[in-house]
């Protein structure tokens, strides 16, 4: 079933934007990307906004749902809505807050596809800390309410934050909760097989980068799926992982670098881990050599089979002058999942 040839072209944004330095008003026409807020999504149409007061902005948008996997402007249906935004005035403002509440209405084939509220906010204090939040509340009306029996649901709740603990260490934390929603593409899926269970992800860690080139990382993560009352025995979607590593970018002040990284995971299918060590050298003129060795080990729970793969990889980069470089790597693997040599060469 694999096609003899396959091609994908993606057009994310091509628009004409007018926005004076005062940011008192603005208009955008064309394929509008998600360069500022992601809740509205891609749009083939127009977006306009103005500021009735300094720190408050209102706007509206309308057009067609953009198909970014195509070079055409023939989307699946119409999209329109409005938004209010709390943000300091001035196009080049660097203040530490920005929040927007938007209402989005989408149609397909002349009927309702999706209707939702989107809330996004960003807060920060320079390099000290930052916080990003996003939430989507689907409003179920018409056929969506008839099929699901709901009036609303939170389909997306996520946040991420960074905190500089010391001058050389910072911590991060991220969470996302996703629930599938009804729209035109899954309209005919029967309710008894429609997956509207809550999927949650949590990740946290710490990074250390000290003067002189010494650094370290450590973190853990988990991915959890709400139990299915129709299939209580299926809990294989839950997964857990951790990682740690230490590195030095300038050993003995001689251009050598080295590092070792390890990770482990456990889920309903496998338990395993991976470890990799590397050493490299930077030369005058931007040339570089890097040698690494790694091993992957895991156990398949259903068959109780242990599988192992190890590899050796040599990478090099040479500067040819006039901003031209040649880069390549050679890898030889042995074990259960990969065997034999692989090569990669790039000229740019």
């Amino acid at each position: 079933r694999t096609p003899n040839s396959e091609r994908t072209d993606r057009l994310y944004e091509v628009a004409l934007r007018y926005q004076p330095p005062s940011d008192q008003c603005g208009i955008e026409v064309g394929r509008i990307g998600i360069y500022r807020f992601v809740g509205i999504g891609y749009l083939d149409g127009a977006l306009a906004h103005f500021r009735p007061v300094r720190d408050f902005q209102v706007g509206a948008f309308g057009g067609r749902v953009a198909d970014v996997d195509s070079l055409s402007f023939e989307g699946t249906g119409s999209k329109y809505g409005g938004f209010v935004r709390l943000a300091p005035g001035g196009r080049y403002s660097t203040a530490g807050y920005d929040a927007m509440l938007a209402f989005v209405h989408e149609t397909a084939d002349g009927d309702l596809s999706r209707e939702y509220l989107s809330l996004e906010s960003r807060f920060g204090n320079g390099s000290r800390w930052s916080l990003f939040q996003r939430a989507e509340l689907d409003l179920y009306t018409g056929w969506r309410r008839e099929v699901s029996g709901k009036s609303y649901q939170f389909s997306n709740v996520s946040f991420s934050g960074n905190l500089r603990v010391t001058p050389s260490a910072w911590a991060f934390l991220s969470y996302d909760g996703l629930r599938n929603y009804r729209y035109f593409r899954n309209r005919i899926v029967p309710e008894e097989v429609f997956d509207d269970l809550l999927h949650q992800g949590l990740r946290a860690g710490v990074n250390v980068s000290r003067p002189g080139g010494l650094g370290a990382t450590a973190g853990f993560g988990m991915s959890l799926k709400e139990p299915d009352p129709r299939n209580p025995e299926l809990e294989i979607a839950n997964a857990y992982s951790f990682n740690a590593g230490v590195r030095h970018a300038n050993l003995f002040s001689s251009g050598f670098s080295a590092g070792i990284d390890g990770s482990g995971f456990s889920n309903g299918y496998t338990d395993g881990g991976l470890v990799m060590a590397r050493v490299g050298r930077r030369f005058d003129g931007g040339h570089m050599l890097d040698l690494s060795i790694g091993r992957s080990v895991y156990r398949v729970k259903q068959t109780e089979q242990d599988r192992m793969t190890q590899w050796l990889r040599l990478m090099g980069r040479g500067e040819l002058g006039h901003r031209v470089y040649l880069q390549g790597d050679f890898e030889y693997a042995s074990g259960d999942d990969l065997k034999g040599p692989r090569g990669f060469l790039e000229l740019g």
Side-chain angles (χ1 to χ4, degrees):
R1 293 189 294 265
T2 304
N4 293 328
S5 64
E6 187 174 13
R7 173 170 174 164
T8 300
D9 300 287
R10 295 184 178 180
L11 183 60
Y12 294 100
E13 181 177 16
V14 51
L16 178 65
R17 182 182 306 139
Y18 169 74
Q19 186 177 359
S22 65
D23 198 27
Q24 196 67 26
C25 62
I27 187 170
E28 196 167 350
V29 179
R31 171 155 295 179
I32 301 172
I34 53 175
Y35 67 97
R36 183 176 294 170
F37 288 95
V38 301
I40 295 176
Y42 293 97
L43 173 71
D44 288 339
L47 182 149
H49 62 82
F50 75 98
R51 288 184 180 274
V53 294
R54 173 175 171 78
D55 293 341
F56 191 73
Q57 187 182 83
V58 296
F61 55 89
R64 296 185 64 84
V65 178
D67 181 9
V68 297
D69 290 328
S70 170
L71 296 181
S72 71
F73 285 84
E74 299 178 359
T76 56
S78 64
K79 174 189 289 191
Y80 60 85
F83 62 88
V84 293
R85 181 181 173 213
L86 181 64
R91 187 170 63 185
Y92 306 108
S93 173
T94 58
Y97 66 91
D98 197 334
M100 185 179 79
L101 176 65
F103 169 76
V104 184
H105 179 95
E106 298 178 356
T107 66
D109 297 329
D111 200 357
L112 172 68
S113 175
R114 190 186 181 200
E115 205 170 48
Y116 63 98
L117 295 172
S118 172
L119 176 65
E120 295 179 54
S121 57
R122 296 175 176 85
F123 303 93
N125 182 15
S127 61
R128 177 63 176 167
W129 62 272
S130 65
L131 177 67
F132 170 74
Q133 168 275 327
R134 182 184 173 208
E136 289 181 359
L137 176 67
D138 267 84
L139 307 175
Y140 277 11
T141 59
W143 69 265
R144 302 178 80 205
R145 185 170 184 173
E146 294 175 1
V147 172
S148 66
K150 303 176 182 178
S151 299
Y152 63 89
Q153 78 168 25
F154 281 100
S155 303
N156 183 333
V157 178
S158 62
F159 69 87
S160 61
N162 290 274
L163 175 65
R164 184 169 289 277
V165 184
T166 69
S168 59
W170 62 94
F172 66 88
L173 174 69
S174 65
Y175 166 84
D176 62 85
L178 301 174
R179 192 185 297 272
N180 198 13
Y181 54 82
R182 289 285 189 174
Y183 72 123
F184 82 101
R185 290 190 184 276
N186 56 36
R187 180 173 182 172
I188 63 174
V189 177
E191 184 64 21
E192 57 268 19
V193 297
F194 182 69
D195 182 7
D196 61 351
L197 301 175
L198 178 62
H199 296 249
Q200 300 183 89
L202 177 67
R203 184 139 196 95
V206 61
N207 296 320
V208 178
S209 181
R210 299 186 61 84
L214 179 63
T217 60
F220 75 93
M222 62 179 66
S223 177
L224 306 177
K225 184 177 180 180
E226 182 181 0
D228 189 347
R230 295 164 298 196
N231 300 283
E233 73 282 0
L234 297 179
E235 296 183 359
I236 57 179
N238 295 341
Y240 308 87
S241 65
F242 67 89
N243 68 282
V246 62
R247 63 190 179 275
H248 201 296
N250 191 22
L251 281 174
F252 317 119
S253 301
S254 60
F256 279 96
S257 62
I260 183 169
D261 294 276
S263 62
F265 58 87
S266 177
N267 54 57
Y269 303 96
T270 57
D271 293 321
L274 181 148
V275 63
M276 186 173 69
R278 56 163 295 274
V279 61
R281 171 73 190 275
R282 290 187 175 274
F283 302 91
D284 294 338
H287 310 304
M288 183 187 74
L289 279 176
D290 191 280
L291 179 66
S292 60
I293 184 171
R295 171 172 288 187
S296 168
V297 179
Y298 65 94
R299 183 178 182 84
V300 182
K301 292 184 177 180
Q302 185 176 6
T303 62
E304 297 186 353
Q305 180 186 19
D306 295 318
R307 298 182 68 85
M308 180 186 302
T309 300
Q310 48 274 327
W311 65 89
L312 183 69
R313 179 184 300 136
L314 177 66
M315 188 191 78
R317 178 186 174 104
E319 300 293 335
L320 307 182
H322 302 286
R323 298 185 292 183
V324 177
Y325 70 88
L326 180 66
Q327 179 175 307
D329 63 65
F330 178 81
E331 174 187 301
Y332 190 88
S334 63
D336 298 312
D337 294 328
L338 292 175
K339 291 182 174 69
R342 294 194 299 173
F344 174 82
L345 189 65
E346 178 177 295
L347 178 68

